[in-house]
Amino acid sequence: MSILQILEFPDPRLRKIAKPVTVFDEELEDLIEDMLETMHEAEGIGLAATQVNVHKRLLVIDVSENRDAPQVFINPEFEIIEHELSEYNEGCLSVPGFYETVSRPRMVKITAQDAKGEKIEQAAEGILATCIQHEIDHLDGKLFVDYLSTLKRHRIRAKLEKEHKKPV
Ligand code: QAP
Ligand code: CO
């Protein structure tokens, strides 16, 4: 197992569109393990493959209190089942240190595959519904900062660019 490097905004690789997973093999299982370890180590609740510079359609989520209920979604899609919006103060491992309120549909039906390629169907609400939409956005090259005003997004970009220039 290994901790993977997480790309940070405004890295242009975060804008790539991920390709469907077609092969369910040991290499995929290793990637899932590494992504889960990386997410847990960084104290995140969700991580998309795009964020670790792997442009395949998979993501891991763990919204449990005890951080012991990891979920893996491969080739995930969602359908809105409740158009009413819910607001969350969102953050992102690729935008460290910044949190802003984003509105998204409050209830979705997720269709995906598991690590073996078996079909998953699950209704989600609350933080899970928000998180799954946030992570699927990553697979399409989108970030939560895209929902903010241009001014806010540019301020965040400027602060992170300054941070990235600092010697380590
Ligand atoms: C997406 O985000 C999310 O800035 C997952 O310093 C977040 O795991 C969906 C994190 C909130 C719904 C609500 C962010 C950790 C983790 C940071 C994360 C940080 C350390 C973000
Ligand atoms: Co994110």
Side-chain angles (χ1 to χ4, degrees):
M1 296 221 293
S2 34
I3 303 288
L4 307 170
Q5 197 199 323
I6 299 174
L7 302 178
E8 292 185 3
F9 178 65
D11 193 310
R13 293 170 291 181
L14 288 168
R15 298 305 187 180
K16 291 175 101 171
I17 311 284
K19 299 231 162 69
V21 172
T22 53
V23 183
F24 294 81
D25 59 2
E26 207 165 308
E27 194 184 317
L28 181 68
E29 294 197 10
D30 289 346
L31 173 62
I32 292 166
E33 293 235 326
D34 289 348
M35 284 176 61
L36 282 169
E37 196 186 5
T38 303
M39 175 181 70
H40 281 138
E41 199 256 352
E43 293 183 5
I45 59 170
L47 181 71
T50 305
Q51 294 177 274
V52 293
N53 200 27
V54 176
H55 303 283
K56 292 182 187 166
R57 304 193 74 86
L58 76 141
L59 50 93
V60 295
I61 287 184
D62 189 347
V63 291
S64 69
E65 205 118 309
N66 297 327
R67 328 236 355 103
D68 58 357
Q71 287 182 276
V72 180
F73 297 99
I74 300 173
N75 300 324
E77 287 176 28
F78 72 89
E79 224 178 279
I80 299 167
I81 50 183
E82 167 74 74
H83 278 272
E84 191 186 315
L85 300 176
S86 99
E87 287 189 341
Y88 267 96
N89 201 24
E90 292 192 23
C92 180
L93 291 172
S94 294
V95 191
F98 296 89
Y99 296 84
E100 292 288 345
T101 304
V102 178
S103 301
R104 302 183 190 262
R106 66 168 291 271
M107 203 166 177
V108 295
K109 187 179 97 183
I110 307 161
T111 312
Q113 285 166 282
D114 67 14
K116 301 269 181 269
E118 303 293 337
K119 190 171 175 175
I120 304 172
E121 261 190 342
Q122 192 183 333
E125 58 185 324
I127 188 107
L128 179 61
T130 294
C131 198
I132 206 101
Q133 293 174 68
H134 173 119
E135 302 309 332
I136 290 176
D137 270 354
H138 277 301
L139 304 180
D140 294 321
K142 273 187 102 175
L143 296 167
F144 85 92
V145 296
D146 300 345
Y147 297 100
L148 310 178
S149 67
T150 310
L151 179 63
K152 271 190 179 166
R153 183 168 54 258
H154 286 185
R155 279 187 179 151
I156 293 172
R157 187 177 72 196
K159 285 178 187 162
L160 282 173
E161 279 174 337
K162 196 172 160 190
E163 206 55 45
H164 296 157
K165 283 195 187 106
K166 281 187 186 163
V168 280

